[in-house]
Amino acid sequence: MTMKITLQKSNYSETVLRKSLYWLSSDAEWILEESLENWVIVITNNKNNIDIESKFHRLVNDQILREKISIKSKNSREHIISKVLQDIEESL
């Protein structure tokens, strides 16, 4: 069965969708297309479309949360990296 899901680009980054689709790959084949304002995902599978669609939306939600955490922790990660590199340089 084939299904088409259309999502607004303003609400979803390409990275979020591609990571979600990557994890969906074991259950279905997919194609990601885009228009000026929308992402269009065409999913083909032999399983129940409702289950696949639900799984896709769970994966998208997970990736959105990961993206938000990554953005919020960016400064802390950069500070830690900088400190470690500085400590290494001082020890040489």
Side-chain angles (χ1 to χ4, degrees), residues 2 8-10 15 21 26 33-35 38 51 65 68-69 75 85 88:
T2 300
Q8 292 182 339
K9 281 185 168 181
S10 60
T15 302
L21 289 166
S26 61
E33 300 172 342
E34 64 179 298
S35 66
N38 295 311
D51 292 341
L65 292 173
K68 287 179 180 179
I69 290 168
N75 288 338
L85 291 174
I88 290 171

Side-chain angles (χ1 to χ4, degrees), residues 18-75:
R18 288 195 180 278
K19 286 181 178 182
S20 301
L21 289 166
Y22 169 80
W23 288 106
L24 191 67
S25 294
S26 61
D27 295 319
E29 294 182 18
W30 53 267
I31 298 170
L32 177 60
E33 300 172 342
E34 64 179 298
S35 66
L36 192 57
E37 297 180 0
N38 295 311
W39 296 110
V40 179
I41 301 115
V42 179
I43 299 174
T44 305
N45 67 66
N46 296 325
K47 298 181 180 183
N48 184 335
N49 276 350
I50 295 171
D51 292 341
I52 293 297
E53 186 173 8
S54 293
K55 182 173 184 175
F56 172 70
H57 287 292
R58 283 193 310 274
L59 291 166
V60 168
N61 182 60
D62 180 64
Q63 292 302 323
I64 288 170
L65 292 173
R66 289 172 184 270
E67 184 176 68
K68 287 179 180 179
I69 290 168
S70 179
I71 289 167
K72 286 185 177 183
S73 65
K74 182 180 179 188
N75 288 338

